[in-house]
């Protein structure tokens, strides 16, 4: 028995041709659980025979008219969601977290969808944040949440905004903070790449789950890249605790 999980930052997918092609490629994966980050719930529709939950709409940036459907994180499952949480913890930067419990072929799984802020989140003349400040504060809040979820069959998925490995440009202290926040979870996508780029869209698993296979979904299209990220797909099985 396996659970197929798809994770993709779709870079808002606003043009209709991009949204249509993304939907086609996502549907081809026949996933049981999908995590989309930087998505638009109006332009990009997931299969209707499933159930979606989203982070809150307030994610700390100015949105123009017509962007109300944008969400930093959305989770989709074939089965309904229970114990839905779109806040996480008050210390987290807003609008970048959603979690729920869904039934799958590997049992009940708690899925936490994240979009960890990138290095320049709210940095600039209109904001008062330091480089990596939002990122660091998010990891601090996430650490406490994951400790409370430690006894669950758990998947943490989304845009981590860190490349995992020796050649990462992320400051050492923040690489350590990510590992500390995840605790005993295993980042199975560490080092996964496509066309010379390593992913920052990751899947982390509790010890009772394992990745039977890993792959990517191309973001390349003849009319231009569908997103600045490629998709990540994993077939998960029950592993040794």
């Amino acid at each position: 028995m396996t659970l197929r999980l798809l994770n993709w930052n779709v870079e808002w997918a606003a043009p209709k041709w991009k949204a249509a092609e993304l939907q086609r490629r996502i549907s081809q994966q026949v996933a049981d659980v999908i995590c989309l980050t930087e998505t638009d719930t109006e332009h990009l529709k997931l299969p209707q025979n499933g159930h979606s939950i989203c982070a809150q709409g307030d994610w700390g940036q100015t949105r123009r008219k017509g962007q109300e459907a944008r969400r930093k994180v959305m989770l989709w499952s074939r089965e309904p969601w229970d114990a839905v949480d779109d806040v996480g913890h008050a210390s987290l930067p807003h609008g970048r977290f959603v979690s729920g419990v869904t039934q799958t072929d590997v049992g009940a799984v708690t899925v936490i969808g994240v979009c960890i802020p990138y290095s320049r989140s709210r940095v600039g003349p209109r904001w008062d944040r330091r480089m990596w400040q939002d990122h660091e504060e998010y990891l601090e809040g996430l650490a406490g949440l994951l400790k409370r979820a430690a006894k669950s069959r758990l998947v943490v998925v989304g845009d981590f905004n860190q490349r995992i490995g020796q050649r990462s440009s992320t400051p050492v202290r923040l690489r350590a903070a990510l590992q500390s926040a995840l605790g005993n979870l295993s980042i199975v996508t560490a080092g996964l790449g496509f066309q010379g780029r390593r992913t920052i869209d990751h899947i982390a698993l509790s010890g009772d789950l394992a990745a039977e296979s890993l792959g990517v979904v191309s973001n390349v299209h003849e009319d231009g890249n569908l997103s600045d990220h490629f998709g990540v797909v994993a077939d998960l099985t029950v592993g040794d605790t």
Side-chain angles (χ1 to χ4, degrees):
M1 303 293 254
T2 62
L3 182 168
R4 172 157 284 201
L5 175 63
L6 171 67
N7 179 27
W8 203 344
N9 180 316
V10 293
E11 198 187 7
W12 305 120
K16 290 183 179 180
W17 73 267
K18 284 189 177 184
E21 181 60 19
L22 282 162
Q23 285 177 201
R24 188 185 71 82
R25 296 188 188 190
I26 289 169
S27 296
Q28 282 182 330
Q29 297 303 315
V30 195
D32 302 298
V33 174
I34 299 170
C35 176
L36 298 183
T37 52
E38 294 191 350
T39 190
D40 188 307
T41 59
E42 180 179 348
H43 290 94
L44 203 162
K45 305 291 187 182
L46 290 177
Q48 294 183 351
N49 61 336
H51 308 266
S52 298
I53 56 176
C54 295
Q56 293 183 356
D58 176 17
W59 39 269
Q61 302 284 7
T62 301
R63 284 175 298 287
R64 297 185 295 274
K65 185 177 180 181
Q67 296 181 345
E68 295 83 1
R70 289 188 170 192
R71 292 294 183 273
K72 276 288 186 180
V73 194
M74 179 170 68
L75 296 175
W76 177 94
S77 173
R78 295 191 181 279
E79 300 298 328
W81 293 97
D82 295 316
V84 176
D85 180 0
D86 64 359
V87 175
H89 191 276
S91 66
L92 289 177
H94 294 169
R96 294 172 172 269
F97 175 97
V98 66
S99 70
V101 180
T102 189
Q103 296 294 327
T104 74
D105 284 348
V106 298
V109 178
T110 298
V111 184
I112 294 179
V114 301
C115 189
I116 301 173
Y118 84 124
S119 60
R120 294 192 60 83
S121 172
R122 296 192 294 172
V123 173
R126 298 181 59 189
W127 305 100
D128 61 354
R129 312 298 281 178
R130 303 185 309 276
M131 288 280 289
W132 295 105
Q133 183 175 349
D134 276 355
H135 187 100
E136 189 165 20
E137 289 179 3
Y138 192 102
L139 291 177
E140 290 171 0
L142 184 63
L145 290 167
L146 295 185
K147 284 181 181 178
R148 291 195 287 276
K151 294 182 179 180
S152 305
R153 179 163 289 173
L154 180 62
V155 174
V156 180
V157 59
D159 186 345
F160 287 24
N161 266 305
Q162 286 198 32
R163 290 182 172 84
I164 310 299
Q166 293 181 342
R167 289 183 289 177
S168 171
S169 61
T170 306
V172 173
R173 77 178 194 283
L174 297 178
R175 283 184 266 167
L178 175 61
Q179 293 293 336
S180 177
L182 293 175
N184 293 326
L185 299 182
S186 174
I187 306 175
V188 297
T189 45
L192 188 65
F194 177 67
Q195 294 193 331
R197 294 184 62 195
R198 284 182 297 156
T199 188
I200 60 175
D201 300 319
H202 291 293
I203 300 169
L205 307 176
S206 55
D208 52 358
L209 290 171
E212 183 178 78
S213 65
L214 289 170
V216 302
V217 185
S218 173
N219 61 332
V220 176
H221 188 275
E222 61 185 5
D223 294 326
N225 284 353
L226 300 172
S227 167
D228 55 355
H229 297 237
F230 54 89
V232 172
V233 64
D235 288 322
L236 308 182
T237 61
V238 176
D240 296 330
T241 57

